[in-house]
Each structure stands twice: as C-alpha cells, then as structure tokens.
Amino acid sequence: MNEKKKNNFRSAYLITKPLQYVNATNIPDERPKDCLIIKSFAGAETFVRNVSAYSIHWDKVFSFESRSEAFEFIVLNKNKYNRIFLDSDIGLFYHLSQFSGIDIFTYEEGIGSYRKIRDTTKLIEKLKAVIWSILGFNNWIGGNKFTKGIYLYNPAVFRQLIPNEKKPVYKLNNSFHSSALHLKELSYLHENIDFGRYKNENLLVYLSSWEISESILSKLESFPTHIKILKPHPNTLTKTRLTSHFDEVITSAIPVEIFLIKVSKYCNQLVIVHENSSALLYLNDVQYLEVNISTLKFKEEYRKIRELILNDTVVLPRKLVV
C-alpha cells in the first residue's frame, strides 16, 4: 500500500457514554477522526446534537442504536479506516475478526481498565481464563489478540497490575479534569445548573449502582446536616421508595465526574457515598470524604487500584470512611 493512500485513512472512535467521550478526546491522534456514538445512555439524542454542532475534534459524527450497528457500519466502510478505538474488546471475538487490516486499540473505560475480568481464584473462572488465553484472548481489556495497544491515564499502574501484557500501553494526553470542563460540546450538561446554591453548604452525594442500596439509609442518618443528593445510575435505575430519602435527584444525563468537580468548588464539605464507582478515579483535584458501601468482594481490589492510581497522580488529601 503506497504512503499517499495510507495517509487518506481515518480513525473511528466508538463512544457509549459521555465519560468515554472525554477519554477519547484525550487520545493523541493526528489523523482525520470520526466519532461513532452508541445511543445507549440517558440524554443520548441531545448529546449527539451538541457534539455534532460544537465539537472541533471530529471530522464526522455518526450515531447508532447499538454497538452491533456501529460495527456493521465500520465493516461496510472498512476501506476508509485504518484505526479503531474501543472502550472494550471483551467478548467481541467475531466482530473484531472482521476488521482485518485495521489496527484496533482500547482506551480507558474506568476501573475495569486496570483489572482482570475473570476472578481466577475460582476454579471455573480460572479454566475459562485459560481457554480464553489459548484462543488468544487474555483476561483483561486490551488483551484481545486483535488489539494492537491500549491508551490509559495511568499506564504504570496497568503494568504493575497486569504485567503479562506485552502490547504497547500509551498515556492519554491530558487529565480528565482539565478536559471535561473545557469541551464546548459538553458545556450544556452543566451550564444550566445553579451550582452557586451549594455555596458553603455540606453535601452528601450518593452515586448509586444499578439499584439504590438499603445500606445508604444509615449513611444518610450519619450526616444529618448535609444536603442529600442522589446521582442515579445512567441506564437501569428506576424510581423506588428510597428516592424520597434524598433532598435532590440530579439528572442521570450529566456525567457524575463533571457534577462533582463543579460542585466541589462551591460547597463547604463534600461527602461521596458510592459502590466501587469509577468516577473517583477522575477526581484528583477534588477534596472530599469518601464512604464506600459496597459489599462485594471486589471492594478490596477496587481499593488497591484506587490507591495505586492516587499515588501515581498529584492529589489533594482525602479521608476514607468505611
């Protein structure tokens, strides 16, 4: 293939939520770039309109109802792309096998980008991981045999936790914090919120998992003078009786990372209650009190990964409450 033709090729970026959008815009890539948005999150239609109208990062913006639909689009336009960037390559054996001649990369998705997918302390899971490895699909995001490299905020942490990965692990350009608030196409998510009303207030923000945990009730009682704010999971949470225990419920359309960064500049004290939330990876310049109410075994692994990432970055002091 001659160099002139190769230089005409483009990069395709698959985006399934606003957090990934911020991370994708931090990938160093001088090629023409197309943004392929999967409309699987709250407020997706508005998100697509704003990215299309205001982003200077992309040459073209496309939207799809599903990941499979986006993959079909890439297959049909295979002659136009020489690089694809995905949030994950897990379970995509068939799809990625169709992209011969295209370099595939994964980029940071959150806490899952720094851990093994299957718990190999369990015999059945270890056997599955061994079978995956024999087939060429290792037990972590970026471990697919079709994947050429990985883009992360903390490559050194990934290397420490997953030393067997031999592919290149590249560092993203800027911090999440410095990018999230300066992307014009995302400003609509927070510009109409009156953050000034939280000035000098004590806040408790609960980042729910797929359902509101009963355990949150005792934590709410532990902070009687705080304004109680629920940030629901963006996709599957339905309103329950527990919602009434909060003073406010903020829209699931806004990435919680952006909300927390903004509100922290006004409030007196910020308490974040969560269940192994990836959002806390991106709050390096935010001071807060953390309460993790998760009961999952993964909680200890989560804490280890968090500590490694925090030690890999300049951060403000914080206190952990179990």
Side-chain angles (χ1 to χ4, degrees):
M1 181 180 299
N2 63 57
E3 192 65 26
K4 182 177 180 180
K5 183 175 181 180
K6 185 176 180 180
N7 287 338
N8 287 333
F9 280 176
R10 315 170 70 82
S11 297
Y13 289 72
L14 266 70
I15 311 292
T16 67
K17 56 188 174 184
L19 167 65
Q20 293 171 6
Y21 183 87
V22 176
N23 296 344
T25 61
N26 273 323
I27 295 172
D29 185 3
E30 299 301 321
R31 295 168 177 76
K33 295 177 282 291
D34 292 347
C35 182
L36 282 57
I37 302 173
I38 316 301
K39 297 185 293 183
S40 59
F41 54 92
E45 292 288 354
T46 304
F47 181 86
V48 171
R49 286 198 298 272
N50 277 269
V51 171
S52 300
Y54 300 114
S55 177
I56 60 174
H57 193 79
W58 313 104
D59 289 279
K60 296 181 181 179
V61 177
F62 302 94
S63 64
F64 305 91
E65 297 300 325
S66 67
R67 189 186 291 264
S68 294
E69 188 179 307
F71 285 146
E72 290 174 9
F73 172 84
I74 295 174
V75 171
L76 291 173
N77 293 274
K78 235 181 1 179
N79 62 325
K80 297 180 181 179
Y81 296 112
N82 68 341
R83 300 182 86 188
I84 301 173
F85 294 86
L86 308 171
D87 58 306
S88 174
D89 55 2
I90 297 296
L92 300 178
F93 310 150
Y94 169 71
H95 290 295
L96 301 192
S97 69
Q98 294 182 295
F99 300 151
S100 59
I102 302 178
D103 290 341
I104 302 168
F105 299 85
T106 61
Y107 63 90
E108 177 138 347
E109 156 63 11
I111 201 79
S113 295
Y114 296 90
R115 64 184 296 259
K116 293 184 177 179
I117 304 303
R118 295 191 178 279
D119 180 2
T120 53
T121 62
K122 299 176 181 178
L123 180 58
I124 186 65
E125 293 297 300
K126 185 173 183 178
L127 289 174
K128 289 179 181 178
V130 170
I131 293 172
W132 273 17
S133 180
I134 292 172
L135 294 174
F137 310 115
N138 287 311
N139 190 26
W140 52 82
I141 294 177
N144 196 304
K145 70 178 182 180
F146 297 112
T147 304
K148 300 294 184 182
I150 305 165
Y151 284 84
L152 300 170
Y153 288 113
N154 303 92
V157 173
F158 178 87
R159 288 294 192 197
Q160 182 174 348
L161 293 169
I162 309 195
N164 294 331
E165 179 57 81
K166 305 304 180 185
K167 298 170 189 171
V169 183
Y170 306 101
K171 187 173 178 62
L172 295 174
N173 273 337
N174 304 301
S175 70
F176 178 91
H177 191 143
S178 63
S179 298
L181 300 182
H182 296 95
L183 290 169
K184 183 178 180 181
E185 58 268 38
L186 299 188
S187 63
Y188 79 97
L189 290 168
H190 54 81
E191 62 188 2
N192 293 324
I193 298 177
D194 179 17
F195 288 98
R197 74 180 187 272
Y198 300 118
K199 187 174 182 179
N200 298 325
E201 297 282 4
N202 293 328
L203 306 181
L204 181 151
V205 181
Y206 170 44
L207 315 182
S208 79
S209 186
W210 291 58
E211 296 180 356
I212 299 178
S213 170
E214 292 278 351
S215 300
I216 188 60
L217 297 180
S218 63
K219 299 305 178 185
L220 296 180
E221 293 174 357
S222 298
F223 297 91
T225 64
H226 287 59
I227 297 174
K228 316 300 193 301
I229 302 174
L230 169 64
K231 174 59 174 71
H233 188 280
N235 292 336
T236 59
L237 181 70
T238 56
K239 188 174 181 179
T240 72
R241 63 178 179 79
L242 296 178
T243 306
S244 63
H245 291 270
F246 295 87
D247 301 306
E248 300 178 25
V249 180
I250 60 175
T251 173
S252 59
I254 179 174
V256 67
E257 298 83 2
I258 293 179
F259 179 83
L260 294 172
I261 290 170
K262 293 282 288 186
V263 80
S264 70
K265 300 180 185 299
Y266 293 89
C267 67
N268 176 54
Q269 184 188 56
L270 175 61
V271 177
I272 301 175
V273 184
H274 69 103
E275 299 172 63
N276 299 330
S277 173
S278 289
L280 274 66
L281 299 184
Y282 308 113
L283 303 180
N284 299 328
D285 300 314
V286 174
Q287 189 165 5
Y288 57 87
L289 184 71
E290 177 195 356
V291 183
N292 189 344
I293 62 172
S294 172
T295 59
L296 300 177
K297 181 180 178 181
F298 171 58
K299 183 175 181 179
E300 290 306 314
E301 183 184 1
Y302 170 88
R303 185 187 297 229
K304 176 183 177 181
I305 296 172
R306 281 274 324 286
E307 288 301 316
L308 288 172
I309 288 176
L310 293 178
N311 290 334
D312 193 47
T313 315
V314 176
V315 297
L316 290 174
R318 68 217 47 224
K319 183 179 179 183
L320 174 65
V321 176
V322 180

